[in-house]
Amino acid sequence: EVKLVESGVASVQAGGSLTLSCTVSGFTFDDSILEPDLGWYRRTPGNECELVSSIGSDERTYYEDSVKGRFTISQDNAKNMMYLQMNSLKPEDTAVYYCAADRKPDGDPYHSDNEPCDAWGQGTQVTVSS
């Protein structure tokens, strides 16, 4: 069974830092499927599921423009963990954060932009106060 479970301290003042952790387990996709990219999404106040950052098996990374230079994604394959280090946090970073793969747990592709926030864990509420 494929699982991604988030954890992390959830509240901080503006300018502070938080690290989110994600436990990765059970990736037994069909051998013909490439190892998935993993990423952090957040649900915006407008209820959109926004990709914040992602990392590939080749360590290739992506960052949404608003977090570039402030957030760092990393993974520890030996520990089956993925992390999001968030520095210089702003009130607009307040959201529920989800770790997710680039496809659904059953290996099928997403069919809507909101699915990554619904398909995996419960998410972690991050609140940045001004």
Side-chain angles (χ1 to χ4, degrees):
E1 181 183 9
V2 179
K3 289 186 178 179
L4 295 174
V5 180
E6 309 90 349
S7 62
V9 177
S11 184
V12 70
Q13 290 190 324
S17 298
L18 287 175
T19 299
L20 301 183
S21 301
C22 177
T23 302
V24 181
S25 63
F27 275 109
T28 56
F29 294 148
D30 185 275
D31 289 341
S32 65
I33 298 175
L34 294 175
E35 187 171 342
D37 290 357
L38 301 179
W40 290 94
Y41 293 76
R42 62 187 178 190
R43 194 174 294 281
T44 68
N47 206 37
E48 293 181 348
C49 182
E50 175 183 67
L51 176 60
V52 176
S53 181
S54 66
I55 186 167
S57 58
D58 58 357
E59 303 295 323
R60 168 181 40 87
T61 59
Y62 160 84
Y63 295 96
E64 194 270 330
D65 285 345
S66 70
V67 308
K68 284 180 180 177
R70 300 189 299 122
F71 290 11
T72 302
I73 191 170
S74 62
Q75 59 187 5
D76 185 334
N77 291 330
K79 296 181 179 179
N80 293 325
M81 297 291 294
M82 181 178 65
Y83 306 97
L84 186 67
Q85 174 68 42
M86 304 186 291
N87 298 326
S88 303
L89 281 160
K90 304 175 181 180
E92 51 263 42
D93 293 319
T94 295
V96 179
Y97 285 73
Y98 302 84
C99 62
D102 61 359
R103 65 203 70 174
K104 296 192 289 186
D106 60 8
D108 286 345
Y110 295 121
H111 296 293
S112 76
D113 291 341
N114 279 330
E115 280 194 307
C117 291
D118 297 330
W120 296 90
Q122 296 298 309
T124 297
Q125 175 68 52
V126 172
T127 302
V128 183
S129 57
S130 58

